Amino acid sequence: KRKHLLPVCGKPIIQYLLDRIALEFAAELQKQEVIIVIVSSDEPENRDFECFASSTVKVFFGATHNIPLRHQQAAESLGLDAVLTVDGDDILCSTEGMRALYQALCSGERYVRSIGLPFGMNSMGYAAVFLKASVRAHVSEVLETGWGRIFDEQSVREISLGNDMPDQRLRFTLDYQEDYEFFAALIEALGERVQDAGLNSIVALVHQQKLYRINESIA
């Protein structure tokens, strides 16, 4: 419940994700080529996300039970050419993966996703026109899980950034209490490095300190 707002070292846990994205895309944010948007459903309990709004972070509330439609609504409202989507509970999602997808979208790719990274480290993206065409036939559906099925798989460009068979013990997403304890321990162990730590150093630290044991049982 309210997992994105759980405190870790004095900050809401989603702030670490926002800070990492902001650092990776600092130059693009400065030139107003990129904006960071928290996209959530239009329900009263989600209004707390407004506290994260800033000069670089916008908050958009859209469709209640249809995530891709919500993305489309945000893209149209904010005049976006493309959307690079990162799950809000993937707190340490790979910024290297985000960068690779961003470059692919800028070069004209319609639908991209990273593969080969540990669970909770991959991201995906799509051109706004591709998103709109994909959502058109699914506007009235409930699409909260497994919604990637609405996209034409023949259109996807997969970008491999790691081992195609990553360590199955590693789980970098926030759903259960064990996940929260894992992230809290990892963020504390990273210390000041948490904002710019890369994929390899994060995974190495998890292995070195055997932090995967915390949530391995639900991986």
Side-chain angles (χ1 to χ4, degrees):
K1 243 181 156 180
R2 297 170 65 78
K3 58 185 179 179
H4 304 91
L5 305 180
L6 292 171
V8 173
C9 298
K11 297 196 320 191
I13 195 167
I14 196 175
Q15 188 66 59
Y16 293 98
L17 176 60
L18 296 172
D19 290 346
R20 284 171 56 80
I21 295 172
L23 181 63
E24 174 63 34
F25 292 97
E28 289 82 5
L29 287 164
Q30 179 71 26
K31 291 184 284 187
Q32 297 185 336
E33 295 172 348
V34 160
I35 58 172
I36 302 170
V37 190
I38 297 176
V39 180
S40 190
S41 55
D42 192 7
E43 297 171 284
E45 61 265 30
N46 291 331
R47 293 292 165 181
D48 285 340
F49 284 124
E50 291 176 336
C51 72
F52 297 101
S54 67
S55 59
T56 55
V57 178
K58 295 186 182 296
V59 181
F60 180 89
F61 298 105
T64 303
H65 299 296
N66 189 319
I67 292 175
L69 175 59
R70 200 183 304 162
H71 290 177
Q72 182 200 331
Q73 292 167 337
E76 290 182 346
S77 175
L78 298 168
L80 307 181
D81 296 316
V83 173
L84 200 168
T85 174
V86 178
D87 287 347
D89 47 13
D90 292 350
I91 305 301
L92 296 177
C93 187
S94 170
T95 51
E96 297 100 320
M98 297 180 212
R99 171 62 62 183
L101 299 192
Y102 173 76
Q103 291 172 338
L105 290 168
C106 286
S107 68
E109 293 289 345
R110 299 193 307 153
Y111 176 31
V112 292
R113 65 181 174 223
S114 64
I115 59 172
L117 302 181
F119 184 68
M121 286 280 199
N122 287 298
S123 51
M124 62 187 292
Y126 20 68
V129 291
F130 176 80
L131 172 61
K132 184 175 183 177
S134 300
V135 169
R136 187 176 296 122
H138 304 276
V139 169
S140 60
E141 295 182 27
V142 173
L143 294 172
E144 293 182 313
T145 59
W147 47 269
R149 63 179 173 77
I150 75 168
F151 301 118
D152 177 14
E153 286 297 297
Q154 294 184 345
S155 300
V156 68
R157 178 189 168 193
E158 293 185 331
I159 299 178
S160 180
L161 295 161
N163 187 342
D164 288 334
M165 296 184 64
D167 189 338
Q168 297 298 313
R169 296 173 299 179
L170 303 185
R171 177 182 165 84
F172 290 89
T173 198
L174 178 59
D175 284 319
Y176 302 101
Q177 178 65 26
E178 293 91 337
D179 297 326
Y180 173 56
E181 293 168 4
F182 166 79
F183 276 121
L186 177 52
I187 289 170
E188 185 174 1
L190 285 166
E192 294 182 357
R193 295 180 294 156
V194 66
Q195 196 165 346
D196 60 359
L199 168 71
N200 291 335
S201 60
I202 291 173
V203 171
L205 182 60
V206 170
H207 279 130
Q208 178 187 356
Q209 298 196 12
K210 295 182 169 57
L211 297 178
Y212 57 83
R213 291 179 174 175
I214 300 173
N215 62 349
E216 181 182 13
S217 64
I218 54 174

